Amino acid sequence: MFDLAVFGSLFLTLFVIMDPPGITPIFLALTAGRPAKVQKRMAFQAVCVAGGVIVLFGLLGHQILDYLHVSVPALMIAGGLLLLLIALDLLTGKTDEPKQTKDVNVALVPLGMPLLAGPGAIVSVILAVQKADSVTTQVSVWAAILAIHVVLWLTMRYSLLIIRVIKDGGVVLVTRLAGMMLSAIAVQQIINGVLQVIEGA
């Protein structure tokens, strides 16, 4: 009742796309200045949001996109633009201003979506579920989805230990680095979407 090859393939794909190690500095930057208890809760909320979005699109992805008349490349470009706006805030230090973030739950946007449950992860899950033509492969696909979300939660949950080591000055540095990485991810996502549009034209 379990296909290790299917599980391993999807888990590795989602690991590369959702990038648990790479999410650590971005998570630390977006939740900086909040109490540790709140940060831990945000880590759990972000994973729950991402999981909910992934499950929703895994079950109804094609129907949702068809109903909205939205193509996968359009989804990728939109997600890339949203990430780019967030990256610019990190680079310019706007997230350091309490009144801009104190009432905003960054666990929902951008952490949960589109950072974790981005277009790449959504498309990968839609295709994997579509190709799973037996109970064994279906179980393996959903097990891989569950496993990557557990890894994501553990990574963010225990990344809080890093704060104790790097202190406030290190958090500022991490914030700037996270902004650079996030802007690169966003631009690449936009490029990939544009290339798919050109190829499909």
Side-chain angles (χ1 to χ4, degrees):
M1 290 293 293
F2 195 79
D3 191 325
L4 189 58
V6 171
F7 173 88
S9 176
L10 181 58
F11 180 83
L12 288 175
T13 299
L14 291 177
F15 189 91
V16 171
I17 294 172
M18 301 176 89
D19 192 14
I23 200 67
T24 300
I26 298 171
F27 172 74
L28 292 175
L30 291 174
T31 61
R34 292 178 172 86
K37 186 177 180 180
V38 174
Q39 289 176 309
K40 292 174 184 177
R41 187 173 71 240
M42 284 184 160
F44 182 72
Q45 288 175 335
V47 170
C48 287
V49 169
V53 172
I54 291 293
V55 169
L56 177 65
F57 277 91
L59 295 173
L60 303 169
H62 279 294
Q63 294 90 325
I64 292 172
L65 293 180
D66 289 344
Y67 177 76
L68 296 174
H69 303 290
V70 173
S71 65
V72 172
L75 186 66
M76 295 178 72
I77 294 170
L81 289 172
L82 179 57
L83 287 180
L84 188 57
L85 290 174
I86 295 157
L88 292 174
D89 277 348
L90 290 175
L91 283 170
T92 56
K94 288 185 180 179
T95 53
D96 293 336
E97 299 173 20
K99 62 182 179 181
Q100 286 203 6
T101 59
K102 67 177 182 180
D103 297 325
V104 177
N105 190 349
V106 295
L108 307 181
V109 177
L111 277 174
M113 183 180 181
L115 201 49
L116 295 180
I122 289 172
V123 171
S124 297
V125 168
I126 290 174
L127 294 177
V129 171
Q130 186 179 8
K131 291 178 183 176
D133 52 2
S134 68
V135 174
T136 301
T137 51
Q138 283 282 354
V139 169
S140 304
V141 164
W142 291 108
I145 293 170
L146 176 62
I148 191 61
H149 283 82
V150 170
V151 170
L152 284 165
W153 175 72
L154 290 172
T155 303
M156 290 189 290
R157 167 69 173 74
Y158 291 101
S159 68
L160 299 177
L161 297 174
I162 298 173
I163 294 178
R164 298 176 187 174
V165 178
I166 63 176
K167 308 297 182 185
D168 290 342
V171 170
V172 173
L173 176 61
V174 166
T175 299
R176 300 299 180 266
L177 291 174
M180 288 179 61
M181 289 189 296
L182 194 56
S183 61
I185 293 170
V187 170
Q188 186 60 57
Q189 194 164 287
I190 293 170
I191 290 172
N192 291 343
V194 171
L195 288 175
Q196 287 194 26
V197 170
I198 294 172
E199 289 173 4

